[in-house]
Amino acid sequence: MAEYIPLFMFAVVCLVLMAGYPVALTLAGTALLFALVGSASGHFDMSFLHALPNRLYGTMDNTTLIAVPLFVLMGVMLEKSKLAEDLLDSMALLFGKFKGGLGISVVIVGMLLAASTGIVGATVVTMGLMSLPTMLKRGYDPALATGAICATGTLGQIIPPSIALVLLGDILSSAYQQAQLSQGIFTPKTVSIGDLFVGAIVPGLVLVSMYIGYLLFISRLKPSSAPVAFTTDDHQISAARLLRSLLPPVILIVAVLGSILKGAATPTEAAGVGAMGATLLAIWRGQLDLPRLRDVTRSTTEITAMVFLILIGAAVFSLVFRGFGGEELVAHLFDHIPGGVIGATLVVMLVIFLLGFILDFIEITFVVVPIVAPVLLAMGLDPVWLGIMIAINLQTSFLTPPFGFALFYLRGVAPASVKTSDIYRGVIPFIIIQLLLLLMLALWPGLATWLPNAIFNGITFDL
């Protein structure tokens, strides 16, 4: 019975999280409680906790994670600069003469915002405030309109630069080296955040195309649910206005991702470029004053502190989990799953998807991924492919009822006329689309691995 203590530990963490307690305190508190009980009963050696100070110092000294506050600063600054308003107005005028055009403009603007900010909550709230009233006024079905906005907002999970990919990249980097060392490879290869960023580009664009394809299909199948938004010549858009709206986010995206693709900057350095670019853009638009700068720095500090506190809690949890023999237990369980590596991967993806109904992506990233990733990578999976699969799977956690955060974000800004059931009903087709993309990646792994191999020639760079 004692060998299953790690599983009990994991189950208790999930239950306490569902009860609403803070993630970081839940991870560390549960782990320390199990350690004390295990030590008293003779099942845990407290010397495992001697490594905790070095773990915590290593977390705070990790240069890779400097990208987190910089990308957060970039996203919050762009949110405050009201970049999305001009962009959405321009896209709506450009596509509004077509069936489903307003929905398509929402997807395109959401894609550009995702590539500029990488923050799901900011994108969903911004798009909900600006586009939802217009879509409802123009006759869009509430379920379709809310579903498109929620799904588009979650693109920040997969389209780089993404906070989720930064956190996943750091965890997978450690897991990949750990997996190789367990195989007797003492000069291990590395996987970086840059590899995940590049690997996510093609799947992200495929997902955007599938969203647009679904909107076009619905607009033809049920024209009343996605009608033409603008029918007169009064709603024309000049090329100058279109360029003025498009150029700032495109230039910022090119500066951030282009510097990574060209090898001119690591993702951490590119995050600095993005933060500076977003600040200059806010100044250029006259949207940066002292009160707004104070709001931006406060929001950035709060989000960064939350992430690092969770990292510290996760470090305590992983040490205690390992002390109870959790890694050996997981490896043993995976060895006995029918289907070998395919069966093990399928079980992990199913568990992550189901946990997405009740837990946030950060909780899943720090609780589940460090446990399963070393074992899966030791079984021969490509780390970039696995990272993109997990990222897309985690993306669904923002949409799956009852605790999908994108649903909460939109419910908070949606008009009272929009029912909560409309929002839940509207996201179902987009969840199915995301699962279809997972299936496509499973069948054609090259969707995630081809571009990194083509650009880096199989050579990754360290941060």
Side-chain angles (χ1 to χ4, degrees):
M1 194 68 177
E3 64 268 19
Y4 293 105
I5 290 179
L7 295 183
F8 296 144
M9 220 174 111
F10 178 77
V12 170
V13 165
C14 291
L15 290 173
V16 177
L17 287 173
M18 289 171 61
Y21 287 93
V23 181
L25 302 182
T26 296
L27 289 172
T30 302
L32 292 176
L33 181 62
F34 268 80
L36 289 173
V37 174
S39 176
S41 61
H43 294 107
F44 182 79
D45 184 358
M46 292 296 281
S47 63
F48 273 93
L49 295 181
H50 293 171
L52 186 56
N54 286 334
R55 282 286 190 97
L56 300 185
Y57 180 80
T59 297
M60 303 310 297
D61 194 47
N62 190 338
T63 55
T64 302
L65 295 176
I66 295 175
V68 173
L70 291 173
F71 277 133
V72 171
L73 175 63
M74 172 182 163
V76 176
M77 187 68 74
L78 286 173
E79 179 193 355
K80 304 296 183 183
S81 68
K82 302 186 184 300
L83 174 75
E85 292 184 17
D86 288 346
L87 191 56
L88 185 60
D89 289 343
S90 299
M91 290 294 106
L93 291 175
L94 184 64
F95 293 102
K97 300 179 181 63
F98 307 101
K99 292 179 180 178
L102 200 54
I104 293 172
S105 68
V106 167
V107 172
I108 293 175
V109 172
M111 175 189 70
L112 293 174
L113 287 180
S116 302
T117 67
I119 301 176
V120 172
T123 304
V124 173
V125 170
T126 301
M127 300 299 289
L129 287 171
M130 292 188 305
S131 62
L132 184 56
T134 303
M135 296 176 81
L136 296 176
K137 182 180 178 181
R138 299 292 176 179
Y140 269 68
D141 178 61
L144 180 64
T146 55
I149 292 171
C150 286
T152 300
T154 65
L155 289 173
Q157 282 288 101
I158 185 63
I159 294 181
S162 161
I163 303 299
L165 291 178
V166 173
L167 299 176
L168 267 175
D170 182 64
I171 291 174
L172 285 175
S173 177
S174 301
Y176 192 37
Q177 294 188 39
Q178 182 181 334
Q180 292 175 91
L181 290 174
S182 68
Q183 295 173 301
I185 302 173
F186 298 106
T187 55
K189 298 178 182 178
T190 60
V191 59
S192 72
I193 295 171
D195 296 314
L196 289 186
F197 275 11
V198 177
I201 291 176
V202 173
L205 293 176
V206 170
L207 186 59
V208 170
S209 302
M210 293 171 74
Y211 284 174
I212 292 175
Y214 171 72
L215 290 171
L216 288 173
F217 173 75
I218 289 296
S219 66
R220 299 298 184 273
L221 183 67
K222 297 171 61 179
S224 61
S225 64
V228 174
F230 304 120
T231 57
T232 68
D233 292 334
D234 296 332
H235 297 88
Q236 297 291 335
I237 180 171
S238 66
R241 177 179 174 182
L242 183 60
L243 285 175
R244 190 166 59 247
S245 301
L246 275 175
L247 277 180
V250 170
I251 290 174
L252 192 61
I253 293 166
V254 170
V256 174
L257 294 184
S259 60
I260 296 174
L261 298 181
K262 292 290 290 183
T266 66
T268 303
E269 295 163 346
V273 172
M276 178 59 70
T279 304
L280 293 175
L281 184 58
I283 294 172
W284 175 66
R285 293 174 61 86
Q287 297 290 336
L288 188 61
D289 51 22
L290 192 57
R292 190 161 288 159
L293 181 61
R294 189 182 298 115
D295 289 342
V296 169
T297 53
R298 182 183 293 114
S299 297
T300 302
T301 303
E302 289 174 353
I303 296 172
T304 303
M306 176 195 71
V307 170
F308 275 83
L309 190 59
I310 293 174
L311 276 168
I312 290 171
V316 179
F317 181 85
S318 65
L319 271 178
V320 177
F321 187 84
R322 178 177 295 181
F324 277 114
E327 292 181 353
E328 293 80 5
L329 176 62
V330 171
H332 176 75
L333 292 176
F334 279 14
D335 285 340
H336 289 79
I337 292 177
V341 64
I342 296 176
T345 305
L346 184 61
V347 168
V348 168
M349 290 298 155
L350 181 61
V351 168
I352 290 176
F353 176 73
L354 294 176
L355 286 175
F357 282 81
I358 54 176
L359 300 179
D360 180 37
F361 87 95
I362 294 182
E363 298 161 3
I364 299 173
T365 299
F366 289 131
V367 175
V368 180
V369 178
I371 295 173
V372 300
V375 182
L376 290 177
L377 294 174
M379 297 173 81
L381 291 182
D382 185 284
V384 174
W385 177 83
L386 180 62
I388 303 304
M389 288 283 287
I390 292 175
I392 295 173
N393 203 342
L394 289 174
Q395 186 179 347
T396 63
S397 69
F398 278 92
L399 298 179
T400 46
F403 299 124
F405 276 76
L407 312 179
F408 292 157
Y409 294 142
L410 187 60
R411 177 67 276 174
V413 298
S417 59
V418 176
K419 301 177 182 177
T420 302
S421 59
D422 290 331
I423 301 176
Y424 283 12
R425 185 162 47 88
V427 298
I428 292 175
F430 294 95
I431 294 174
I432 294 173
I433 289 173
Q434 292 177 359
L435 295 178
L436 284 176
L437 179 60
L438 276 177
L439 179 61
M440 292 171 62
L441 278 169
L443 296 175
W444 301 293
L447 287 172
T449 59
W450 169 78
L451 192 57
N453 290 333
I455 291 177
F456 302 131
N457 294 317
I459 301 175
T460 62
F461 49 82
D462 296 325
L463 301 184

